[in-house]
Amino acid sequence: HCWVAKADTDAEIDSAPAEADWQRVLTLARAAHNLKWENRAIGEVGFHRYVQGDHNAAKRDTAIALLHAKQHGDWAAQIRFASGIGTGLILAGYDGLGMPYIDQALALAEEHPESGYPYMAVAGKVMGLIRRHDYAQAQKYAAEASMRSKADHRWVKYTQAQLFLADIAIDQKQRDKAIQILNTTVDVAKRNQTRLLREAYSKLSDLYREEGELQVAKKFATAALLAS
């Protein structure tokens, strides 16, 4: 469980050390003949391989993990891996294929409220809705995630939700609103030193550059580089 916690923390900074952590969990789970955690570790390794560009291995590992979770009634793993597969497909531009996985995860989370708020599934849902230009529904889910994460003191998830709200504002040409959201988000992300800080700075740089405020844009571009 210590390695799981370390992997979760490392994942907010860089996927490579997080994958190494999950490989250690996998080794320990196999040594202990713990099939549940062996399967979960296989799926988590798949997530990080996706981020690093090894999509074939990622598809294999996460598909195996989801299948085994279904076979063994591990609904918590089903929620996580269905969320991850759906989000990965949406990020790759296949929202038609990805959304059913997301909806499956959301339905399972509703059946099992003890699992907590399904942050990953909601994030995938928002991404898919934005891709479909369904901004009203995307705003609804992102605002709910922002409210829940703030109440739960889950500040990285709060930062992610705020970035989604900024994306919605940007797509709707509401630049002043987006800038306001992002400036607030930067303050939160600085305290966490999450990898999302770079994304917030980068979006601010783009917005100010489009408005012709090049010195301000340069300042945020430099900050994004340093955060990276």
Side-chain angles (χ1 to χ4, degrees), residues 45-225:
V45 167
F47 283 170
H48 294 294
R49 284 181 173 169
Y50 178 88
V51 173
Q52 294 174 77
D54 189 354
H55 292 173
N56 287 331
K59 285 189 287 187
R60 180 196 65 217
D61 291 346
T62 52
I64 288 171
L66 180 57
L67 178 61
H68 285 183
K70 287 180 178 179
Q71 289 174 341
H72 295 94
D74 186 354
W75 49 262
Q78 288 182 60
I79 292 169
R80 182 156 178 83
F81 296 131
S83 301
I85 291 170
T87 301
L89 286 166
I90 290 165
L91 285 169
Y94 302 108
D95 52 289
L97 295 174
M99 288 296 252
Y101 283 101
I102 295 296
D103 290 334
Q104 175 190 340
L106 290 171
L108 270 172
E110 191 171 348
E111 289 176 27
H112 299 279
E114 67 273 23
S115 65
Y117 188 75
Y119 286 105
M120 185 188 291
V122 171
K125 186 76 171 180
V126 174
M127 290 179 200
L129 291 167
I130 290 174
R131 285 187 63 86
R132 294 177 175 184
H133 307 294
D134 188 348
Y135 298 119
Q137 283 297 308
Q139 176 90 20
K140 174 187 169 185
Y141 277 101
E144 180 188 84
S146 180
M147 180 185 70
R148 289 295 299 266
S149 57
K150 191 172 184 179
D152 292 343
H153 301 286
R154 299 283 299 275
W155 297 114
V156 173
K157 298 301 183 186
Y158 175 79
T159 300
Q160 183 185 47
Q162 291 294 105
L163 287 172
F164 285 143
L165 291 170
D167 286 339
I168 293 165
I170 290 168
D171 280 5
Q172 294 182 304
K173 309 300 182 187
Q174 299 171 344
R175 289 181 178 173
D176 288 345
K177 181 179 179 181
I179 288 170
Q180 182 182 15
I181 292 169
L182 288 167
N183 277 317
T184 303
T185 304
V186 161
D187 291 338
V188 176
K190 277 181 182 176
R191 294 200 296 271
N192 295 308
Q193 287 301 305
T194 170
R195 57 188 167 77
L196 297 175
L197 177 59
R198 179 208 58 80
E199 188 175 343
Y201 280 139
S202 182
K203 289 180 190 297
L204 279 167
S205 178
D206 288 344
L207 286 166
Y208 280 111
R209 178 172 52 80
E210 288 169 4
E211 291 188 350
E213 297 187 42
L214 300 184
Q215 288 303 315
V216 181
K218 181 180 178 181
K219 179 187 77 172
F220 283 118
T222 302
L225 180 61

